[in-house]
Amino acid sequence: MDDFATDVFVNRDDPIPTVILDGSIPPRPRTPSTPAEHSDNETPSQRKGIRGRISAFTEKARIQDQLVEKLLARVVPLDDAQIPQDEPQKGGSPGVVRPNFNLTTMSNNFRRFNSRIGVVFVFQARVIRLLSWRRPTHTLSFLAIYTLVCLDPYLLPLLPLTILLIGILIPNFVARHPAAEFSLSSEQAIGYSPHGPPLAPAITVKPVKELSRDFFHNMRDLQNSMEDFSQLHDGIIRLVVPRTNFSDEALSSALFVSVFTICLFMSIAANVLPWRLIFLAIGWAVTCMGHPAIQRQIQNAHEKHIHPQEEKARGWVEKWVERDVILDNAPETREVEIFELQHLSNAGEWEAWLFSASPYDPLSQARIAGERPAGTRFFEDVLPPSGWEWSEKKWALDLWSREWVEERIITGVEVETEGERWVYDIYDEQATEKVGVVEQPTPVKGKDKAKSSPPKPSWEEGEDGDSRRGEWRRRRWVRLVKRKNIPDTTA
């Protein structure tokens, strides 16, 4: 097949340009290559006979493998190191295979990809040609269509159908029914007629021939496109990330307030803005900026008027941020609690048991389930929550024991309002005497109801020795914590 066959998509115009942004690292100089350097003349010479063809094909495949292996060796310099492999995921979608990295598979996929990526570069080259006013009639026609779509957005669904009709179906039909050839000096000019059977074969799209000139054209454009993406990625990172990642918290906060204000304005005024005219003006402005003469004017205006005022504008923004944005420099603090639990021994003395995050009250889930309280034996072993650190040196006893009992709606306890502020379990004599199923008492009627004892409170206030107490008591300790600075691990 000829290098310039018409059934492949290859960008045979100017190479895809590389963009160099301000502050970016310029791409490495490329060695200029002539078409003859990558022509099919470098492929093995045609030999006669079956053996000659097989040997030529084997030699050509060997050259392709060597080329791709050298390219991958530059990209993946592992030096006999083991390639990391991901564990296969279970429960994937049927018909979907996710193979791990393999140099042979990568080599084959790269060759297949490079043979078929030409359609993307052709589209990219035509868009560049359209927006750079190479042919003003094409650009003006594009602006006319864009204007119609902006003024009447209901034409937008018609656009892809029109492209399918005019750009694909009609050219393919004309290719199968070509016009008759005639000489300009002929007296009888024969017009185009679609009648009759097809005269030419249908157009099919094929991948480019490996190691052909078109193959290297695709590699050239792929190389430049990767450079463009890297430059664009680095430029966006330099422009957006320092202003949005709160490394400069005042600047990011000012940006947040500005964006939030714009969101409020847009939520109110979005329905009254002339969006058709706005998109029309933006499209015309962007397209006109691609004209070489207008680009020169914009460059001169930027150097004369905008560039000298950049430092002044940046200083004004910094002063506004410094004057109006007030940050809370004090770290966030919270109060944490721990409960000191003590157990009544058989000798009638209170024994230090442990420090727990739960008060272990009579109706707690762990108490009902018959589980022992969980915690630590010593104060020094109590750690702050994850991501926090101690803001105070010592624990403080909570003197308002009644409040935390009421907040948790704890019942069946006696609150000590003076002294050491213990909260005792109320001794339940019936619970110790009754074994097995406890029947509910029958309701009292009439005069007997008045003689019955009044209901007891859910908790009581008292001092030491007021009444018999249960086998557990607890009191609450509090301490302040503050957020801990997270070390920078990006270096």
Side-chain angles (χ1 to χ4, degrees):
M1 184 176 65
D2 188 16
D3 284 348
F4 297 99
T6 59
D7 54 354
V8 296
F9 283 101
V10 179
N11 175 30
R12 299 191 181 97
D13 296 333
D14 295 336
I16 299 298
T18 57
V19 181
I20 302 177
L21 302 176
D22 295 337
S24 61
I25 301 176
R28 296 179 179 178
R30 303 183 182 91
T31 304
S33 60
T34 60
E37 292 178 359
H38 301 309
S39 63
D40 284 344
N41 294 331
E42 291 186 359
T43 60
S45 59
Q46 299 293 333
R47 302 177 184 178
K48 297 181 179 180
I50 297 178
R51 294 183 178 178
R53 293 179 181 178
I54 294 177
S55 60
F57 177 78
T58 304
E59 187 175 355
K60 184 176 181 180
R62 189 181 301 112
I63 295 176
Q64 297 171 3
D65 294 337
Q66 292 177 356
L67 175 65
V68 178
E69 286 176 0
K70 289 182 178 180
L71 179 62
L72 292 178
R74 294 279 185 177
V75 178
V76 191
L78 294 178
D79 296 334
D80 297 334
Q82 185 178 2
I83 299 176
Q85 301 291 340
D86 297 332
E87 295 182 359
Q89 298 180 357
K90 298 181 180 180
S93 302
V96 178
V97 181
R98 296 180 176 89
N100 285 319
F101 177 77
N102 183 272
L103 286 175
T104 304
T105 305
M106 182 68 181
S107 174
N108 296 332
N109 291 345
F110 177 80
R111 292 202 301 266
R112 296 175 62 245
F113 174 79
N114 191 72
S115 299
R116 294 161 175 81
I117 193 61
V119 61
V120 177
F121 299 137
V122 169
F123 175 77
Q124 185 177 355
R126 291 184 179 180
V127 170
I128 294 175
R129 187 194 311 167
L130 181 69
L131 298 180
S132 60
W133 295 78
R134 297 281 183 86
R135 294 185 180 180
T137 55
H138 292 181
T139 307
L140 292 176
S141 300
F142 163 75
L143 289 175
I145 297 175
Y146 180 78
T147 302
L148 291 177
V149 173
C150 288
L151 297 180
D152 190 2
Y154 297 103
L155 295 176
L156 189 59
L158 181 64
L159 192 59
L161 299 177
T162 305
I163 294 175
L164 175 64
L165 183 66
I166 299 178
I168 299 178
L169 295 178
I170 293 180
N172 282 305
F173 179 82
V174 173
R176 292 220 66 188
H177 300 266
E181 297 181 359
F182 62 92
S183 177
L184 295 177
S185 61
S186 176
E187 296 179 357
Q188 295 181 352
I190 302 176
Y192 177 77
S193 176
H195 301 290
L199 304 176
I203 297 177
T204 58
V205 179
K206 300 179 181 179
V208 300
K209 193 177 180 181
E210 293 186 2
L211 290 183
S212 63
R213 187 180 304 174
D214 293 336
F215 186 82
F216 285 95
H217 283 170
N218 287 345
M219 292 189 67
R220 174 202 64 190
D221 294 335
L222 181 61
Q223 159 195 280
N224 296 348
S225 297
M226 290 190 295
E227 178 65 29
D228 287 339
F229 177 81
S230 300
Q231 294 285 344
L232 182 62
H233 175 273
D234 294 344
I236 293 176
I237 293 299
R238 287 192 302 270
L239 178 65
V240 176
V241 171
R243 294 167 176 81
T244 58
N245 64 353
F246 286 84
S247 57
D248 186 350
E249 196 165 354
L251 179 61
S252 299
S253 301
L255 180 61
F256 175 84
V257 173
S258 302
V259 174
F260 182 75
T261 305
I262 294 174
C263 290
L264 292 179
F265 172 77
M266 293 298 293
S267 63
I268 299 173
N271 59 335
V272 298
L273 294 177
W275 291 110
R276 298 181 181 182
L277 298 180
I278 290 175
F279 280 99
L280 180 63
I282 293 175
W284 273 82
V286 172
T287 307
C288 292
M289 287 172 61
H291 196 279
I294 298 180
Q295 283 185 348
R296 290 191 294 269
Q297 295 293 333
I298 294 175
Q299 183 69 21
N300 294 334
H302 181 271
E303 294 178 355
K304 291 182 181 179
H305 304 287
I306 299 178
H307 185 68
Q309 302 296 328
E310 285 183 356
E311 294 295 333
K312 183 178 180 180
R314 189 179 294 107
W316 180 83
V317 172
E318 292 176 354
K319 290 181 180 179
W320 172 72
V321 170
E322 183 179 358
R323 182 179 65 254
D324 293 349
V325 178
I326 301 176
L327 300 176
D328 187 8
N329 294 324
E332 180 185 1
T333 59
R334 297 285 181 90
E335 185 182 71
V336 296
E337 62 181 8
I338 196 72
F339 293 93
E340 180 184 359
L341 301 182
Q342 290 189 358
H343 185 260
L344 185 63
S345 65
N346 296 329
E349 297 180 356
W350 291 104
E351 296 178 346
W353 198 258
L354 50 76
F355 294 90
S356 175
S358 171
Y360 199 63
D361 57 281
L363 296 182
S364 63
Q365 184 177 0
R367 190 81 170 269
I368 296 174
E371 300 175 357
R372 307 297 289 179
T376 180
R377 294 295 301 273
F378 304 102
F379 246 144
E380 293 77 10
D381 296 335
V382 180
L383 301 178
S386 178
W388 299 76
E389 60 183 359
W390 299 120
S391 178
E392 296 178 338
K393 294 183 178 180
K394 296 181 179 180
W395 291 87
L397 177 63
D398 187 4
L399 302 178
W400 304 95
S401 53
R402 176 178 176 178
E403 292 186 358
W404 66 262
V405 170
E406 292 180 347
E407 289 176 358
R408 288 171 168 79
I409 317 178
I410 297 176
T411 59
V413 295
E414 176 187 339
V415 180
E416 191 177 60
T417 57
E418 296 180 0
E420 297 181 350
R421 302 307 196 271
W422 290 103
V423 177
Y424 296 86
D425 291 349
I426 295 179
Y427 179 75
D428 191 356
E429 185 176 355
Q430 296 180 356
T432 59
E433 295 178 355
K434 295 181 180 179
V435 179
V437 179
V438 180
E439 297 181 356
Q440 295 292 337
T442 57
V444 183
K445 298 181 180 180
K447 297 180 180 180
D448 296 335
K449 184 176 182 180
K451 296 180 181 179
S452 61
S453 59
K456 296 181 178 179
S458 60
W459 55 269
E460 299 178 356
E461 293 184 1
E463 300 178 358
D464 291 340
D466 284 350
S467 62
R468 295 184 63 184
R469 293 161 176 166
E471 60 179 358
W472 291 98
R473 71 175 183 176
R474 76 282 299 154
R475 58 180 175 179
R476 183 172 178 261
W477 295 83
V478 295
R479 191 174 180 180
L480 291 180
V481 293
K482 62 181 180 180
R483 293 297 299 269
K484 182 170 57 177
N485 293 331
I486 301 175
D488 187 8
T489 58
T490 58

